[in-house]
Amino acid sequence: MAFGISRHELNEWKSKCKQGEIAFLTHYWVEPRFPGVKTITKVGCCDLERLKEWCLANGLNPVYIHLRDEYPHFDLIGNKQIEILKREHLTDHLLRFKLW
């Protein structure tokens, strides 16, 4: 379940994805399979080749890209999430969700 974001933020992420940009959306998240994990960052892009290249460039396996909806995305959690948010200079995500 996702929470802690506005409709505007979600629509902005979707718009960037549709334009072929690499877009980041961090939100609170509860998933029993990952105890202790409280946030997730969805890295989306509707240009699937660009998203695959982004995954490879960041040491991530593109086989884990979610293709089940119209917004392909890769889910980042844990240390890798924090590492990439820092690398992408997304300090606002880190501070807002108390990841730093």
Side-chain angles (χ1 to χ4, degrees):
M1 178 190 332
F3 51 98
I5 58 171
S6 68
R7 174 66 56 191
H8 174 76
E9 290 169 305
L10 178 61
N11 288 337
E12 188 174 286
W13 180 81
K14 288 179 176 182
S15 176
K16 287 179 180 178
C17 288
K18 284 182 180 180
Q19 293 170 23
E21 294 179 40
I22 298 293
F24 297 84
L25 181 69
T26 301
H27 58 80
Y28 289 111
W29 184 63
V30 175
E31 174 53 64
R33 294 175 297 154
F34 301 99
V37 174
K38 295 180 177 22
T39 62
I40 190 167
T41 298
K42 296 189 175 300
V43 182
C45 184
C46 290
D47 179 339
L48 193 51
E49 285 307 308
R50 185 171 184 193
L51 184 56
K52 287 179 183 178
E53 289 171 12
W54 182 89
C55 286
L56 293 171
N58 285 279
L60 304 167
N61 188 340
V63 74
Y64 296 109
I65 293 172
H66 293 272
L67 300 172
R68 63 179 172 255
D69 55 16
E70 66 179 292
Y71 301 98
H73 65 277
F74 190 97
D75 289 336
L76 296 174
I77 61 173
N79 291 334
K80 197 65 167 178
Q81 175 189 21
I82 294 167
E83 173 191 325
I84 290 176
L85 289 173
K86 285 179 181 178
R87 186 178 314 132
E88 295 287 337
H89 306 287
L90 294 168
T91 308
D92 55 326
H93 291 237
L94 293 162
L95 294 174
R96 177 177 175 191
F97 294 96
K98 297 174 180 55
L99 298 171
W100 208 359

